[in-house]
Amino acid sequence: MQTLEKTHPKLAELKTRLTEINDINSAASLLHWDQATYMPAGGAAARGRQLATLGQIAHEKFTAPAIGQLLADLQTDRTSLPYDTDEASLIRITKREYDRAVKVPAEFVARFSHHRTECYGAWAKARPENNFAAVQPYLERMLELSREYANFFPGYEHIADPLIEDADYGMTANTVRSLFARLREELVPIVQSIASQPAIDDTCLRQHFPEDRQLAFSHQVIAQLGYDLQRGRQDKTLHPFMTKFSLGDVRITTRVYENHLAQALFSSIHETGHAMYEQGISPEFEATPLANGTSAGVHESQSRLWENLVGRSREFWQFFYPQLQAVFPTQLQDVSVETFYRAINKVERSLIRTDADEVTYNLHVAIRFELELQMLEGKLAVRDLPAAWNEGYRTALGIVPSSDSEGVMQDVHWYMGSIGGMFQGYTLGNLMSAQFFAAALQAHPEIPTQIQQGNFQTLLNWLQTNIYQHGCKYTPVELMQKATGNPLSIDPFISYIRQKYGEIY
Ligand code: ZN
């Protein structure tokens, strides 16, 4: 790219403008990180305004006609460039994002953002009071705005498609719906069969584990996995997330429960997976639209791969368990590694998605995805949502929430994001994680033995080469094909689940 920049002034100008927009967005990310970690409560109102201002400036700058002109000129001048080159990819991806951004009026962006803040506030108050009626009018308005947003992209097959495409480019409501249908067919009998067996005893995880020692241990683990702490750090928050200010500064956050060991540990590994993806992006892409993970699903595939396929594997704990025992001798000295391994892989029909195990997790997501579609289709009114939610749980998992706080109000997504496009990425990520991991194992069958020795380098290198470095140069569909030689399939995930849990239960 360096040499081309010198020879092509329009590309240089485009990159200058994109860098400026990137800097505004990165500043907003830093304000958001601060809001979620260290900001005193008194800063909330001003912070909301500051974030909205930066968002508006970035949107205006990105949708400026000058950007459209530069992209049009570059596309004409550079038609001979091969698809795979960094330059052709930068022009292609920027044009794709530009074409979407200009379809949405700035006035709507502000109106939607304002409603999200209000709806979030109403939800935060209504949830602890178990008062769905209080949040219902806000959610009805959210549904209207989500439909209005979708209608800026006419020509869709299903009204959820534009919302899904924002998060998971190339996916549609119909393709995801059929993936979920097949998953349910496979998973529901597995869950039923596990539920008929004696429950696993996981009391070893539910003891007192002092916070400072939990944090010290998870820090040691994530450093060993390959998270570069010279280009990252971990802080505490309420709802863990990963954020990036540049390729040299990719941060994660975690939360600690002193009465449950698994929370901080696995959320740290999860966010580390997200962070290593971003840290692994080619430095050539810095400050351009290419310097991002390619979709919500592929991003989640990386967090789940490290959290579950690596972090909840027997090999992983053959290496780390003696270290964990040394950190918590009184709690764990009489607990065998096998007891611990079974405890962290306990399967349970539960109500809360974020605490769900690998086997039931996708059923939680399937319920939400189907409800989103039905609301957008006009087949389900918001006032009937709590009953539909409970019915979804009864059918898929055989349990029913005793309150809306544990039911329809448990996730923040519909109340601060949109209705549509919010949940499919979690399941796409789980499916992809198994497919990517299987491809890495096929290329390097020595990976499990290396994990047993605390060596993650071969796996990390494979992910770096096949996924991370490309940023969002390739669509999720292209990336899956290139990295694994096959289109996305539910089969690797199902055989992983059958093999692992067939042995545990
Ligand atoms: Zn995640």
Side-chain angles (χ1 to χ4, degrees):
M1 265 192 178
Q2 216 56 42
T3 50
L4 286 166
E5 244 174 72
K6 285 179 192 134
T7 57
H8 209 297
K10 281 181 180 164
L11 185 68
E13 191 190 336
L14 179 68
K15 286 185 78 177
T16 304
R17 284 174 177 267
L18 292 174
T19 300
E20 199 177 56
I21 295 159
N22 168 79
D23 291 348
I24 294 163
N25 286 328
S26 299
S29 298
L30 180 58
L31 289 186
H32 177 260
W33 171 85
D34 174 69
Q35 182 179 38
T37 50
Y38 296 107
M39 189 188 77
R47 186 54 51 88
R49 189 191 66 233
Q50 291 154 358
L51 283 165
T53 302
L54 289 179
Q56 197 184 337
I57 295 172
H59 184 79
E60 277 166 15
K61 282 188 174 288
F62 188 54
T63 53
I67 298 242
Q69 192 58 53
L70 282 167
L71 286 167
D73 293 349
L74 281 164
Q75 277 199 317
T76 320
D77 293 359
R78 316 297 285 172
T79 41
S80 58
L81 280 177
Y83 184 88
D84 273 32
T85 58
D86 290 352
E87 187 183 336
S89 302
L90 177 65
I91 296 166
R92 181 178 67 250
I93 300 302
T94 308
K95 174 87 168 101
R96 189 178 87 198
E97 288 183 12
Y98 176 82
D99 287 345
R100 288 183 75 75
V102 293
K103 286 190 173 130
V104 185
E107 171 276 325
F108 178 83
V109 174
R111 194 149 46 90
F112 204 5
S113 155
H114 184 71
H115 181 70
R116 281 170 170 148
T117 309
E118 286 211 318
C119 189
Y120 173 79
W123 169 81
K125 191 168 175 296
R127 188 170 79 144
E129 294 167 358
N130 191 34
N131 187 358
F132 181 75
V135 84
Q136 184 188 316
Y138 292 91
L139 201 56
E140 283 166 350
R141 180 86 187 114
M142 187 65 92
L143 179 59
E144 282 167 27
L145 288 163
S146 303
R147 297 178 66 98
E148 191 177 340
Y149 176 80
N151 285 319
F152 291 123
F153 305 89
Y156 52 72
E157 193 183 13
H158 187 285
I159 186 164
D161 289 352
L163 293 145
I164 293 171
E165 183 144 284
D166 271 349
D168 290 290
Y169 186 82
M171 291 289 162
T172 66
N174 289 337
T175 50
V176 179
R177 213 171 209 169
S178 68
L179 280 177
F180 273 122
R182 294 192 42 227
L183 265 176
R184 282 177 84 126
E185 254 168 56
E186 297 278 354
L187 289 173
V188 169
I190 299 178
V191 173
Q192 276 165 354
S193 141
I194 290 176
S196 70
Q197 314 228 13
I200 284 177
D201 178 5
D202 65 348
T203 46
C204 65
L205 302 174
R206 300 167 189 276
Q207 307 179 65
H208 182 75
F209 297 95
E211 174 174 310
D212 54 342
R213 283 191 272 158
Q214 284 202 49
L215 285 171
F217 180 74
S218 66
H219 198 268
Q220 191 183 325
V221 170
I222 62 182
Q224 185 139 0
L225 292 178
Y227 179 33
D228 181 355
L229 288 153
Q230 297 301 310
R231 298 190 293 139
R233 55 177 286 132
Q234 172 163 261
D235 294 89
K236 282 203 307 167
T237 189
L238 227 54
H239 302 285
F241 63 97
M242 181 277 304
T243 185
K244 178 185 67 182
F245 312 133
S246 70
L247 295 177
D249 189 352
V250 183
R251 303 189 190 184
I252 63 170
T253 54
T254 193
R255 70 177 157 201
V256 182
Y257 293 167
E258 290 203 313
N259 60 0
H260 202 295
L261 183 59
Q263 181 62 232
L265 182 62
F266 290 105
S267 99
S268 293
I269 299 175
H270 180 99
E271 300 307 329
T272 291
H274 284 302
M276 292 199 294
Y277 184 6
E278 296 280 337
Q279 286 189 331
I281 292 171
S282 166
E284 300 289 313
F285 298 167
E286 176 74 299
T288 74
L290 295 180
N292 290 301
T294 191
S295 69
V298 175
H299 235 301
E300 196 66 7
S301 78
Q302 295 315 298
S303 54
R304 299 291 274 179
L305 186 151
W306 288 101
E307 177 193 355
N308 288 335
L309 288 102
V310 176
R312 289 181 206 268
S313 71
R314 188 174 264 124
E315 291 84 1
F316 183 89
W317 288 105
Q318 281 165 345
F319 178 77
F320 275 114
Y321 193 62
Q323 296 180 34
L324 185 67
Q325 277 180 312
V327 176
F328 298 110
T330 39
Q331 295 89 337
L332 298 175
Q333 64 184 356
D334 295 329
V335 178
S336 72
V337 63
E338 191 58 26
T339 302
F340 181 80
Y341 171 72
R342 288 166 61 82
I344 59 170
N345 287 299
K346 178 178 182 172
V347 177
E348 206 171 11
R349 293 186 292 180
S350 65
L351 295 171
I352 308 297
R353 173 186 61 87
T354 52
D355 296 339
D357 56 83
E358 291 177 276
V359 183
T360 57
Y361 191 94
N362 296 301
L363 296 174
H364 291 261
V365 182
I367 295 164
R368 289 153 176 76
F369 182 74
E370 189 53 36
L371 294 174
E372 283 189 321
L373 296 193
Q374 289 179 14
M375 281 190 279
L376 286 165
E377 288 164 2
K379 290 181 182 157
L380 173 64
V382 169
R383 69 171 177 281
D384 299 327
L385 182 61
W389 178 285
N390 294 351
E391 181 55 19
Y393 266 79
R394 200 189 56 76
T395 322
L397 284 154
I399 49 171
V400 177
S402 59
S403 73
D404 290 335
S405 301
E406 280 187 325
V408 69
M409 287 194 287
Q410 74 174 257
D411 296 299
V412 69
H413 304 55
W414 289 336
Y415 304 92
M416 72 168 293
S418 60
I419 292 179
M422 285 284 118
F423 286 104
Q424 75 287 329
Y426 292 113
T427 285
L428 293 172
N430 287 329
L431 300 179
M432 289 174 182
S433 70
Q435 193 165 336
F436 285 135
F437 195 65
L441 290 190
Q442 200 173 13
H444 301 283
E446 70 278 19
I447 285 175
T449 315
Q450 291 181 342
I451 291 177
Q452 223 170 355
Q453 296 156 353
N455 176 359
F456 304 95
Q457 203 54 54
T458 305
L459 175 59
L460 186 58
N461 285 346
W462 188 91
L463 296 167
Q464 163 76 35
T465 306
N466 291 283
I467 301 168
Y468 299 173
Q469 63 162 331
H470 300 306
C472 62
K473 181 170 173 173
Y474 299 111
T475 67
V477 171
E478 292 167 348
L479 191 71
M480 183 52 78
Q481 187 69 42
K482 263 179 83 76
T484 73
N486 287 298
L488 176 65
S489 155
I490 73 163
D491 300 342
F493 177 76
I494 294 297
S495 60
Y496 160 71
I497 292 291
R498 279 190 194 288
Q499 192 182 352
K500 178 171 176 180
Y501 291 90
E503 190 253 337
I504 293 177
Y505 282 94

